[in-house]
Short mmCIF file of all heavy atoms in Angstrom, two decimals:
data_model
loop_
_atom_site.label_atom_id
_atom_site.label_comp_id
_atom_site.label_asym_id
_atom_site.label_seq_id
_atom_site.Cartn_x
_atom_site.Cartn_y
_atom_site.Cartn_z
N MET A 711 106.91 97.22 93.26
CA MET A 711 106.95 95.92 93.92
C MET A 711 107.02 96.12 95.43
O MET A 711 107.79 96.92 95.94
CB MET A 711 108.16 95.13 93.43
CG MET A 711 108.25 93.74 93.99
SD MET A 711 109.56 92.82 93.14
CE MET A 711 110.02 91.70 94.41
N SER A 712 106.22 95.40 96.18
CA SER A 712 106.16 95.54 97.62
C SER A 712 107.18 94.63 98.31
O SER A 712 107.47 93.54 97.86
CB SER A 712 104.76 95.17 98.11
OG SER A 712 104.73 95.13 99.52
N ASP A 713 107.75 95.10 99.42
CA ASP A 713 108.65 94.29 100.24
C ASP A 713 107.87 93.55 101.32
O ASP A 713 108.47 92.91 102.17
CB ASP A 713 109.71 95.16 100.88
CG ASP A 713 110.69 95.69 99.86
OD1 ASP A 713 110.87 95.05 98.81
OD2 ASP A 713 111.28 96.75 100.11
N THR A 714 106.56 93.66 101.33
CA THR A 714 105.75 93.01 102.34
C THR A 714 105.78 91.50 102.15
O THR A 714 105.28 90.98 101.16
CB THR A 714 104.29 93.50 102.27
OG1 THR A 714 104.27 94.91 102.40
CG2 THR A 714 103.45 92.87 103.36
N ALA A 715 106.44 90.81 103.07
CA ALA A 715 106.53 89.35 103.03
C ALA A 715 106.92 88.88 104.42
O ALA A 715 107.62 89.58 105.16
CB ALA A 715 107.56 88.88 102.02
N CYS A 716 106.47 87.69 104.79
CA CYS A 716 106.80 87.15 106.11
C CYS A 716 108.31 87.15 106.37
O CYS A 716 108.75 87.41 107.48
CB CYS A 716 106.23 85.74 106.25
SG CYS A 716 104.43 85.67 106.28
N LYS A 717 109.11 86.90 105.34
CA LYS A 717 110.56 86.80 105.55
C LYS A 717 111.18 88.12 106.02
O LYS A 717 112.28 88.13 106.55
CB LYS A 717 111.25 86.32 104.27
CG LYS A 717 111.15 87.28 103.11
CD LYS A 717 111.75 86.67 101.87
CE LYS A 717 111.45 87.56 100.66
NZ LYS A 717 111.78 86.88 99.41
N THR A 718 110.49 89.24 105.83
CA THR A 718 111.02 90.52 106.31
C THR A 718 110.18 91.09 107.45
O THR A 718 110.32 92.25 107.81
CB THR A 718 111.09 91.55 105.16
OG1 THR A 718 109.78 91.75 104.64
CG2 THR A 718 112.03 91.08 104.07
N CYS A 719 109.30 90.27 108.02
CA CYS A 719 108.41 90.71 109.11
C CYS A 719 109.07 90.46 110.47
O CYS A 719 109.77 89.47 110.67
CB CYS A 719 107.09 89.95 109.02
SG CYS A 719 105.91 90.36 110.34
N ALA A 720 108.83 91.36 111.40
CA ALA A 720 109.39 91.25 112.75
C ALA A 720 108.89 90.02 113.49
O ALA A 720 109.52 89.57 114.44
CB ALA A 720 109.03 92.50 113.55
N PHE A 721 107.76 89.45 113.06
CA PHE A 721 107.16 88.32 113.77
C PHE A 721 107.50 86.97 113.15
O PHE A 721 107.01 85.94 113.59
CB PHE A 721 105.64 88.50 113.82
CG PHE A 721 105.24 89.79 114.48
CD1 PHE A 721 104.71 90.83 113.73
CD2 PHE A 721 105.44 89.99 115.83
CE1 PHE A 721 104.36 92.03 114.32
CE2 PHE A 721 105.11 91.19 116.43
CZ PHE A 721 104.56 92.21 115.67
N PHE A 722 108.34 86.96 112.11
CA PHE A 722 108.70 85.73 111.41
C PHE A 722 109.89 85.09 112.11
O PHE A 722 110.89 85.72 112.37
CB PHE A 722 109.05 86.05 109.96
CG PHE A 722 109.31 84.85 109.10
CD1 PHE A 722 108.31 83.92 108.86
CD2 PHE A 722 110.54 84.67 108.48
CE1 PHE A 722 108.53 82.83 108.03
CE2 PHE A 722 110.77 83.59 107.65
CZ PHE A 722 109.77 82.66 107.42
N GLU A 723 109.77 83.78 112.41
CA GLU A 723 110.83 83.04 113.10
C GLU A 723 111.16 81.79 112.31
O GLU A 723 110.31 80.91 112.16
CB GLU A 723 110.35 82.66 114.51
CG GLU A 723 111.35 81.86 115.32
CD GLU A 723 112.49 82.71 115.87
OE1 GLU A 723 112.34 83.95 115.90
OE2 GLU A 723 113.51 82.13 116.25
N ILE A 724 112.37 81.72 111.78
CA ILE A 724 112.79 80.53 111.05
C ILE A 724 113.23 79.50 112.06
O ILE A 724 114.07 79.77 112.92
CB ILE A 724 113.93 80.85 110.07
CG1 ILE A 724 113.45 81.83 109.01
CG2 ILE A 724 114.45 79.58 109.42
CD1 ILE A 724 114.55 82.30 108.08
N LYS A 725 112.67 78.31 111.97
CA LYS A 725 113.07 77.21 112.85
C LYS A 725 114.34 76.59 112.31
O LYS A 725 114.52 76.47 111.10
CB LYS A 725 111.95 76.16 112.93
CG LYS A 725 110.71 76.69 113.61
CD LYS A 725 109.53 75.77 113.46
CE LYS A 725 109.80 74.40 114.03
NZ LYS A 725 108.65 73.50 113.95
N ALA A 726 115.23 76.16 113.22
CA ALA A 726 116.52 75.60 112.81
C ALA A 726 116.35 74.41 111.88
O ALA A 726 117.14 74.21 110.97
CB ALA A 726 117.31 75.19 114.04
N ALA A 727 115.32 73.62 112.11
CA ALA A 727 115.12 72.42 111.31
C ALA A 727 114.46 72.70 109.96
O ALA A 727 114.38 71.84 109.11
CB ALA A 727 114.27 71.41 112.07
N GLU A 728 114.01 73.93 109.77
CA GLU A 728 113.30 74.27 108.55
C GLU A 728 114.24 74.97 107.56
O GLU A 728 115.31 75.44 107.91
CB GLU A 728 112.13 75.22 108.87
CG GLU A 728 111.15 74.68 109.87
CD GLU A 728 110.22 73.64 109.27
OE1 GLU A 728 110.26 73.43 108.05
OE2 GLU A 728 109.47 73.02 110.04
N THR A 729 113.82 75.03 106.32
CA THR A 729 114.55 75.83 105.35
C THR A 729 114.11 77.28 105.52
O THR A 729 113.17 77.56 106.27
CB THR A 729 114.22 75.38 103.92
OG1 THR A 729 112.87 75.73 103.64
CG2 THR A 729 114.44 73.89 103.76
N ASP A 730 114.74 78.19 104.81
CA ASP A 730 114.32 79.58 104.92
C ASP A 730 113.07 79.85 104.08
O ASP A 730 112.62 80.98 103.98
CB ASP A 730 115.44 80.54 104.56
CG ASP A 730 115.90 80.37 103.13
OD1 ASP A 730 115.41 79.47 102.43
OD2 ASP A 730 116.77 81.13 102.72
N ALA A 731 112.50 78.79 103.49
CA ALA A 731 111.29 78.97 102.70
C ALA A 731 110.04 79.05 103.56
O ALA A 731 109.00 79.47 103.10
CB ALA A 731 111.15 77.83 101.70
N LYS A 732 110.16 78.62 104.84
CA LYS A 732 109.01 78.72 105.73
C LYS A 732 109.48 78.90 107.16
O LYS A 732 110.64 78.65 107.49
CB LYS A 732 108.09 77.53 105.60
CG LYS A 732 108.73 76.21 105.94
CD LYS A 732 107.75 75.07 105.70
CE LYS A 732 108.42 73.74 105.98
NZ LYS A 732 107.51 72.61 105.77
N GLY A 733 108.58 79.34 108.01
CA GLY A 733 108.90 79.57 109.41
C GLY A 733 107.63 79.75 110.20
O GLY A 733 106.53 79.50 109.70
N GLU A 734 107.78 80.19 111.45
CA GLU A 734 106.62 80.36 112.31
C GLU A 734 106.25 81.83 112.41
O GLU A 734 107.12 82.69 112.50
CB GLU A 734 106.94 79.85 113.71
CG GLU A 734 107.18 78.35 113.74
CD GLU A 734 107.71 77.89 115.07
OE1 GLU A 734 108.23 78.72 115.85
OE2 GLU A 734 107.62 76.69 115.34
N CYS A 735 104.96 82.10 112.42
CA CYS A 735 104.46 83.44 112.68
C CYS A 735 104.27 83.58 114.18
O CYS A 735 103.51 82.84 114.79
CB CYS A 735 103.14 83.70 111.96
SG CYS A 735 102.43 85.29 112.41
N ARG A 736 104.97 84.54 114.80
CA ARG A 736 104.91 84.72 116.25
C ARG A 736 104.06 85.94 116.63
O ARG A 736 104.22 86.48 117.73
CB ARG A 736 106.33 84.88 116.80
CG ARG A 736 107.24 83.67 116.55
CD ARG A 736 106.80 82.49 117.40
NE ARG A 736 107.67 81.33 117.23
CZ ARG A 736 108.66 81.03 118.05
NH1 ARG A 736 108.94 81.79 119.08
NH2 ARG A 736 109.40 79.96 117.84
N PHE A 737 103.19 86.38 115.75
CA PHE A 737 102.36 87.54 116.07
C PHE A 737 101.47 87.26 117.27
O PHE A 737 101.28 88.09 118.14
CB PHE A 737 101.51 87.96 114.87
CG PHE A 737 100.69 89.19 115.13
CD1 PHE A 737 101.26 90.44 115.06
CD2 PHE A 737 99.35 89.08 115.47
CE1 PHE A 737 100.51 91.58 115.33
CE2 PHE A 737 98.60 90.21 115.74
CZ PHE A 737 99.18 91.47 115.66
N ASN A 738 100.90 86.06 117.33
CA ASN A 738 100.04 85.63 118.43
C ASN A 738 100.72 84.53 119.22
O ASN A 738 101.64 83.88 118.71
CB ASN A 738 98.70 85.12 117.89
CG ASN A 738 97.86 86.24 117.33
OD1 ASN A 738 97.58 87.22 118.01
ND2 ASN A 738 97.45 86.10 116.07
N PRO A 739 100.29 84.26 120.44
CA PRO A 739 100.82 83.13 121.20
C PRO A 739 100.46 81.81 120.52
O PRO A 739 99.58 81.78 119.67
CB PRO A 739 100.15 83.24 122.57
CG PRO A 739 99.21 84.35 122.52
CD PRO A 739 99.27 85.00 121.19
N PRO A 740 101.14 80.71 120.93
CA PRO A 740 100.79 79.41 120.36
C PRO A 740 99.32 79.11 120.59
O PRO A 740 98.74 79.49 121.61
CB PRO A 740 101.67 78.43 121.14
CG PRO A 740 102.77 79.24 121.70
CD PRO A 740 102.21 80.62 121.92
N THR A 741 98.72 78.41 119.66
CA THR A 741 97.31 78.05 119.78
C THR A 741 97.14 76.54 119.70
O THR A 741 97.98 75.84 119.14
CB THR A 741 96.48 78.71 118.66
OG1 THR A 741 97.01 78.32 117.40
CG2 THR A 741 96.50 80.22 118.77
N PHE A 742 96.05 76.07 120.25
CA PHE A 742 95.67 74.66 120.21
C PHE A 742 94.61 74.49 119.14
O PHE A 742 93.63 75.23 119.13
CB PHE A 742 95.12 74.21 121.57
CG PHE A 742 96.11 74.37 122.68
CD1 PHE A 742 96.22 75.57 123.37
CD2 PHE A 742 96.95 73.32 123.04
CE1 PHE A 742 97.15 75.73 124.39
CE2 PHE A 742 97.87 73.48 124.06
CZ PHE A 742 97.96 74.67 124.74
N LEU A 743 94.82 73.54 118.23
CA LEU A 743 93.86 73.34 117.17
C LEU A 743 92.64 72.57 117.66
O LEU A 743 91.54 72.75 117.16
CB LEU A 743 94.51 72.60 115.99
CG LEU A 743 95.68 73.35 115.34
CD1 LEU A 743 96.26 72.52 114.21
CD2 LEU A 743 95.22 74.71 114.82
N THR A 744 92.84 71.71 118.67
CA THR A 744 91.72 70.98 119.26
C THR A 744 91.89 71.01 120.78
O THR A 744 93.00 71.20 121.29
CB THR A 744 91.66 69.51 118.80
OG1 THR A 744 92.79 68.81 119.33
CG2 THR A 744 91.66 69.40 117.28
N GLU A 745 90.84 70.78 121.52
CA GLU A 745 90.90 70.78 122.98
C GLU A 745 91.73 69.60 123.49
O GLU A 745 92.26 69.64 124.60
CB GLU A 745 89.50 70.74 123.57
CG GLU A 745 88.75 72.04 123.36
CD GLU A 745 87.40 72.04 124.05
OE1 GLU A 745 87.19 71.19 124.94
OE2 GLU A 745 86.57 72.88 123.70
N ALA A 746 91.86 68.52 122.71
CA ALA A 746 92.60 67.33 123.13
C ALA A 746 94.12 67.54 123.07
O ALA A 746 94.87 66.79 123.68
CB ALA A 746 92.22 66.15 122.26
N GLU A 747 94.56 68.55 122.33
CA GLU A 747 95.99 68.78 122.19
C GLU A 747 96.55 69.40 123.48
O GLU A 747 95.92 70.22 124.11
CB GLU A 747 96.28 69.70 121.01
CG GLU A 747 95.96 69.07 119.67
CD GLU A 747 96.31 69.99 118.53
OE1 GLU A 747 97.48 70.01 118.15
OE2 GLU A 747 95.41 70.67 118.04
N HIS A 748 97.75 69.00 123.83
CA HIS A 748 98.38 69.51 125.04
C HIS A 748 99.60 70.37 124.72
O HIS A 748 100.34 70.75 125.60
CB HIS A 748 98.80 68.35 125.95
CG HIS A 748 97.63 67.54 126.40
ND1 HIS A 748 96.74 67.98 127.35
CD2 HIS A 748 97.21 66.32 126.02
CE1 HIS A 748 95.81 67.06 127.53
NE2 HIS A 748 96.07 66.04 126.73
N LYS A 749 99.83 70.63 123.46
CA LYS A 749 100.97 71.43 123.04
C LYS A 749 100.50 72.45 122.02
O LYS A 749 99.98 72.08 120.96
CB LYS A 749 102.05 70.52 122.43
CG LYS A 749 103.27 71.27 121.96
CD LYS A 749 104.27 70.29 121.36
CE LYS A 749 105.46 71.04 120.79
NZ LYS A 749 106.36 70.15 120.06
N GLY A 750 100.68 73.72 122.34
CA GLY A 750 100.30 74.78 121.40
C GLY A 750 101.28 74.89 120.26
O GLY A 750 102.45 74.53 120.38
N MET A 751 100.83 75.39 119.14
CA MET A 751 101.66 75.53 117.96
C MET A 751 101.51 76.94 117.39
O MET A 751 100.44 77.53 117.44
CB MET A 751 101.23 74.55 116.86
CG MET A 751 101.18 73.10 117.31
SD MET A 751 102.73 72.26 117.22
CE MET A 751 103.05 72.22 115.49
N TRP A 752 102.61 77.47 116.84
CA TRP A 752 102.52 78.71 116.09
C TRP A 752 102.18 78.35 114.64
O TRP A 752 102.63 77.31 114.15
CB TRP A 752 103.85 79.46 116.11
CG TRP A 752 104.07 80.25 117.35
CD1 TRP A 752 103.53 81.48 117.66
CD2 TRP A 752 104.91 79.91 118.46
NE1 TRP A 752 103.98 81.88 118.89
CE2 TRP A 752 104.83 80.95 119.40
CE3 TRP A 752 105.72 78.81 118.73
CZ2 TRP A 752 105.53 80.92 120.59
CZ3 TRP A 752 106.41 78.80 119.92
CH2 TRP A 752 106.31 79.85 120.84
N PRO A 753 101.47 79.20 113.96
CA PRO A 753 101.18 78.92 112.56
C PRO A 753 102.47 78.90 111.73
O PRO A 753 103.37 79.70 111.97
CB PRO A 753 100.30 80.09 112.11
CG PRO A 753 99.87 80.79 113.35
CD PRO A 753 100.86 80.45 114.42
N VAL A 754 102.58 77.95 110.81
CA VAL A 754 103.71 77.89 109.89
C VAL A 754 103.32 78.63 108.62
O VAL A 754 102.25 78.38 108.05
CB VAL A 754 104.09 76.43 109.58
CG1 VAL A 754 105.18 76.37 108.52
CG2 VAL A 754 104.55 75.73 110.86
N VAL A 755 104.17 79.55 108.22
CA VAL A 755 103.91 80.35 107.02
C VAL A 755 105.09 80.26 106.08
O VAL A 755 106.21 79.95 106.49
CB VAL A 755 103.63 81.83 107.39
CG1 VAL A 755 102.35 81.96 108.18
CG2 VAL A 755 104.80 82.42 108.18
N LYS A 756 104.85 80.52 104.80
CA LYS A 756 105.93 80.55 103.81
C LYS A 756 106.58 81.92 103.84
O LYS A 756 105.95 82.93 104.18
CB LYS A 756 105.38 80.25 102.42
CG LYS A 756 104.84 78.83 102.29
CD LYS A 756 104.54 78.48 100.85
CE LYS A 756 103.50 79.38 100.24
NZ LYS A 756 103.13 79.01 98.88
N SER A 757 107.84 81.98 103.46
CA SER A 757 108.58 83.23 103.53
C SER A 757 107.98 84.31 102.64
O SER A 757 108.11 85.50 102.92
CB SER A 757 110.05 83.01 103.19
OG SER A 757 110.18 82.50 101.88
N ASP A 758 107.30 83.90 101.57
CA ASP A 758 106.72 84.91 100.67
C ASP A 758 105.24 85.15 100.94
O ASP A 758 104.56 85.84 100.18
CB ASP A 758 106.96 84.55 99.20
CG ASP A 758 106.38 83.18 98.84
OD1 ASP A 758 105.95 82.44 99.74
OD2 ASP A 758 106.39 82.87 97.63
N ASP A 759 104.70 84.58 102.05
CA ASP A 759 103.34 84.92 102.48
C ASP A 759 103.35 86.31 103.11
O ASP A 759 104.41 86.89 103.36
CB ASP A 759 102.85 83.91 103.53
CG ASP A 759 102.41 82.57 102.95
OD1 ASP A 759 102.15 82.51 101.74
OD2 ASP A 759 102.35 81.61 103.73
N TRP A 760 102.21 86.83 103.43
CA TRP A 760 102.11 88.08 104.19
C TRP A 760 100.68 88.18 104.71
O TRP A 760 99.79 87.45 104.29
CB TRP A 760 102.45 89.30 103.35
CG TRP A 760 101.52 89.56 102.20
CD1 TRP A 760 101.56 88.97 100.96
CD2 TRP A 760 100.40 90.44 102.19
NE1 TRP A 760 100.53 89.43 100.19
CE2 TRP A 760 99.81 90.35 100.90
CE3 TRP A 760 99.82 91.31 103.11
CZ2 TRP A 760 98.68 91.08 100.56
CZ3 TRP A 760 98.70 92.05 102.75
CH2 TRP A 760 98.15 91.93 101.49
N CYS A 761 100.46 89.08 105.67
CA CYS A 761 99.11 89.35 106.16
C CYS A 761 99.03 90.81 106.58
O CYS A 761 100.03 91.54 106.54
CB CYS A 761 98.74 88.42 107.31
SG CYS A 761 99.38 88.94 108.91
N GLY A 762 97.86 91.21 107.01
CA GLY A 762 97.63 92.60 107.39
C GLY A 762 98.31 93.02 108.67
O GLY A 762 98.32 94.20 109.02
N GLN A 763 98.92 92.08 109.41
CA GLN A 763 99.63 92.41 110.65
C GLN A 763 101.12 92.63 110.39
O GLN A 763 101.90 92.81 111.33
CB GLN A 763 99.47 91.27 111.67
CG GLN A 763 98.04 90.87 111.93
CD GLN A 763 97.23 91.98 112.60
OE1 GLN A 763 97.77 92.93 113.12
NE2 GLN A 763 95.92 91.85 112.55
N PHE A 764 101.53 92.61 109.12
CA PHE A 764 102.95 92.74 108.77
C PHE A 764 103.58 93.95 109.46
O PHE A 764 103.02 95.04 109.51
CB PHE A 764 103.12 92.89 107.26
CG PHE A 764 104.54 93.19 106.84
CD1 PHE A 764 105.46 92.17 106.72
CD2 PHE A 764 104.95 94.51 106.60
CE1 PHE A 764 106.77 92.44 106.34
CE2 PHE A 764 106.25 94.78 106.22
CZ PHE A 764 107.16 93.75 106.09
N GLU A 765 104.78 93.73 110.00
CA GLU A 765 105.58 94.82 110.59
C GLU A 765 107.02 94.60 110.16
O GLU A 765 107.60 93.55 110.40
CB GLU A 765 105.46 94.78 112.12
CG GLU A 765 106.17 95.95 112.78
CD GLU A 765 105.88 95.99 114.27
OE1 GLU A 765 104.71 95.96 114.67
OE2 GLU A 765 106.86 96.01 115.04
N GLN A 766 107.59 95.60 109.53
CA GLN A 766 108.95 95.48 108.99
C GLN A 766 109.94 95.13 110.08
O GLN A 766 109.96 95.75 111.14
CB GLN A 766 109.38 96.80 108.33
CG GLN A 766 110.74 96.75 107.66
CD GLN A 766 110.72 95.88 106.40
OE1 GLN A 766 109.83 95.99 105.58
NE2 GLN A 766 111.70 94.99 106.29
N ASN A 767 110.76 94.11 109.82
CA ASN A 767 111.83 93.71 110.74
C ASN A 767 112.88 94.81 110.78
O ASN A 767 113.33 95.29 109.74
CB ASN A 767 112.45 92.38 110.25
CG ASN A 767 113.38 91.78 111.25
OD1 ASN A 767 113.94 92.47 112.09
ND2 ASN A 767 113.55 90.47 111.20
N ALA A 768 113.30 95.19 111.97
CA ALA A 768 114.28 96.26 112.13
C ALA A 768 115.68 95.81 111.73
O ALA A 768 116.53 96.63 111.42
CB ALA A 768 114.30 96.76 113.56
N ALA A 769 115.95 94.50 111.74
CA ALA A 769 117.29 93.99 111.42
C ALA A 769 117.57 94.02 109.94
O ALA A 769 116.73 94.02 109.11
CB ALA A 769 117.44 92.56 111.93
S1 LIG B 52 101.65 86.08 108.84
FE1 LIG B 52 101.66 88.32 109.06
S2 LIG B 52 102.38 88.75 111.14
FE2 LIG B 52 102.91 86.61 110.64
S3 LIG B 52 105.01 86.69 109.89
FE3 LIG B 52 103.64 86.83 108.10
S4 LIG B 52 103.31 89.04 107.72
FE4 LIG B 52 104.17 88.79 109.81
#
């Protein structure tokens, strides 16, 4: 069984208002989904998601 999951990744950030079931991926800077948006957003991921950029959290 692999431990690869967003919840153990160095780039996973749980927002205070969210449950620990999801959080923000901080691997890249915030992005704008459309040119009309004036506020960038980090992608929201589930704690059991993962991707090829996974890096084990040192904590
Ligand atoms: S999407 Fe990838 S880089 Fe982002 S928190 Fe999950 S495993 Fe880490």
Side-chain angles (χ1 to χ4, degrees):
M711 183 171 152
S712 173
D713 290 334
T714 303
C716 293
K717 65 185 172 191
T718 60
C719 178
F721 303 109
F722 186 63
E723 179 76 17
I724 296 175
K725 293 170 59 178
E728 303 284 353
T729 69
D730 61 357
K732 60 183 177 180
E734 294 171 341
C735 174
R736 299 290 182 97
F737 183 80
N738 289 305
T741 57
F742 300 87
L743 298 179
T744 67
E745 290 185 17
E747 293 183 82
H748 298 286
K749 180 181 176 187
M751 306 275 294
W752 279 282
V754 174
V755 294
K756 294 191 299 184
S757 60
D758 58 351
D759 283 341
W760 65 277
C761 81
Q763 307 295 344
F764 173 82
E765 184 173 308
Q766 184 70 46
N767 190 336

